[in-house]
Amino acid sequence: MLLRNRLFLLFSASPSPKPYPFALSLKTQLVFSTRSPNRRPHATSASKTSKQSQTVSDTARFVRTVLFVPPGVDPDEVTEDMILPGSNIVVGPYAGHSQIKEVEFVKSSGRAKDCPKDDRPEFAILGRSNVGKSSLINALVRKKELALTSKKPGKTQLINHFLVNKSWYIVDLPGYGFAKAPDVTRMDWSSFTKGYFLNRESLVGVLLLIDASVPPQKIDLDCANWLGRNNIPLTFVFTKCDKMKVAKGRRPDENIKSFQQLIRENYPHHPPWIMTSSVTGLGRDELLLHMSQLRNYWDQ
């Protein structure tokens, strides 16, 4: 079995979740699970015991269906302080060194088979061409000019490998849906990138970037569904969480909830997700910690 398939099985170990509060707090969930409009003021001892059992049951369901529980963690032992802020990700024993000390550009590849041949683990960063891929990469490595940023969508036309700490790769993939790119450079995203996703054995997972400042986009949902159908492990990385486009009238957290509700309609298992902002640095350290535990598990 390919190691990436082992990771996909890990990501999809929980049944399809039900709607949940946006604030992923075990305490909040306990409040929701014990509230009842017909609650009597004087409960008997038996009913209190029943309520306590129900609370434990609801908490266990919350952990198993809503949170991403990594390898080495017993779901029954998850506590609130183990959940990364602004995410559904639990930190486990495989989480380790996550600081980026050095990064270097290795190569650009026009075809999947031209990518680096070594077996060091890698994370592919994917999203719509104006979602902020380059800005996120620059924020992660804290180098403003490492990945090319541009106001013109569709600027990244190749598979770009960046070597981090001489031990793992960040891979910048061409954005999809760049309608403003010139016809001569516009490509069939599926034919160009499909080979990379399906055959890259060193791929630990895909960071699928979703713009939280706008309502859910069909093209993002289609991409997520394609990755899921092909057993590609992914993490939803919500970008621009510091913004709110007044014309749309919705806050980032509202857009994130709407996106997750749509994912649950077609995506059988809930992947990990995290909120970020390349402007404020929100989620940077937490995302790197999440990547470290996936990488260390893959590399064992």
Side-chain angles (χ1 to χ4, degrees):
M1 177 186 294
L2 292 178
L3 287 176
R4 72 151 184 259
N5 288 344
R6 182 178 62 172
L7 276 169
F8 179 79
L9 292 175
L10 163 68
F11 277 39
S12 60
S14 301
S16 181
K18 298 178 182 179
Y20 54 89
F22 180 76
L24 294 183
S25 163
L26 295 180
K27 293 179 181 177
T28 301
Q29 178 63 15
L30 289 177
V31 171
F32 273 80
S33 66
T34 56
R35 232 175 237 167
S36 172
N38 299 318
R39 190 173 181 178
R40 296 180 180 179
H42 302 290
T44 64
S45 177
S47 65
K48 287 182 179 180
T49 301
S50 176
K51 281 290 185 182
Q52 290 172 350
S53 298
Q54 183 63 40
T55 296
V56 172
S57 176
D58 288 343
T59 301
R61 181 191 63 80
F62 175 77
V63 171
R64 286 175 168 79
T65 62
V66 175
L67 301 181
F68 172 71
V69 181
V73 176
D74 184 344
D76 293 330
E77 297 180 356
V78 172
T79 59
E80 187 172 348
D81 59 1
M82 296 169 64
I83 306 171
L84 291 176
S87 80
N88 71 334
I89 300 167
V90 174
V91 177
Y94 286 97
H97 176 72
S98 59
Q99 294 181 352
I100 294 181
K101 293 185 176 181
E102 59 178 316
V103 59
E104 60 180 303
F105 171 73
V106 176
K107 68 177 299 188
S108 295
S109 305
R111 299 173 298 178
K113 65 180 183 179
D114 296 330
C115 291
K117 299 297 191 292
D118 61 68
D119 59 356
R120 282 177 281 204
E122 59 192 47
F123 290 89
I125 297 185
L126 178 66
R128 287 187 294 117
S129 56
N130 60 346
V131 75
K133 290 192 296 95
S134 297
S135 296
L136 179 70
I137 293 174
N138 292 336
L140 287 176
V141 303
R142 289 182 171 160
K143 290 182 180 293
K144 293 184 178 180
E145 302 300 329
L146 181 70
L148 179 64
T149 57
S150 173
K151 293 182 179 180
K152 296 182 179 179
K155 201 68 177 176
T156 301
Q157 299 293 307
L158 300 169
I159 302 174
N160 299 302
H161 273 74
F162 300 93
L163 183 60
V164 181
N165 296 343
K166 298 188 183 301
S167 61
W168 58 281
Y169 288 107
I170 288 176
V171 185
D172 185 14
L173 295 175
Y176 53 80
F178 42 88
K180 296 181 180 179
D183 290 339
V184 294
T185 60
R186 193 176 302 172
M187 68 186 70
D188 181 346
W189 175 83
S190 295
S191 64
F192 180 72
T193 318
K194 187 178 295 183
Y196 171 82
F197 286 126
L198 298 179
N199 301 311
R200 192 68 176 169
E201 294 189 20
S202 56
L203 178 63
V204 175
V206 175
L207 305 183
L208 181 56
L209 275 54
I210 307 296
D211 187 345
S213 69
V214 298
Q217 305 293 302
K218 182 178 183 301
I219 193 169
D220 293 328
L221 296 166
D222 289 344
C223 181
N225 292 333
W226 184 90
L227 292 170
R229 287 194 302 271
N230 288 279
N231 296 345
I232 310 298
L234 79 157
T235 295
F236 290 116
V237 178
F238 292 101
T239 64
K240 306 180 184 179
C241 289
D242 59 295
K243 295 183 178 181
M244 182 183 75
K245 295 190 175 180
V246 179
K248 301 296 182 181
R250 304 191 70 188
R251 302 192 312 270
D253 60 331
E254 295 174 324
N255 292 325
I256 291 172
K257 285 196 290 186
S258 296
F259 182 87
Q260 291 173 337
Q261 289 169 356
L262 292 172
I263 281 294
R264 282 193 292 272
E265 294 178 3
N266 297 306
Y267 209 86
H269 308 291
H270 204 300
W273 60 265
I274 188 168
M275 300 171 63
T276 68
S277 167
S278 59
V279 175
T280 66
L282 173 71
R284 175 193 180 269
D285 295 341
E286 290 79 8
L287 177 56
L288 287 174
L289 190 61
H290 169 59
M291 294 165 69
S292 80
Q293 64 182 1
L294 295 182
R295 187 174 66 252
N296 290 336
Y297 176 67
W298 182 94
D299 206 24
Q300 67 175 341

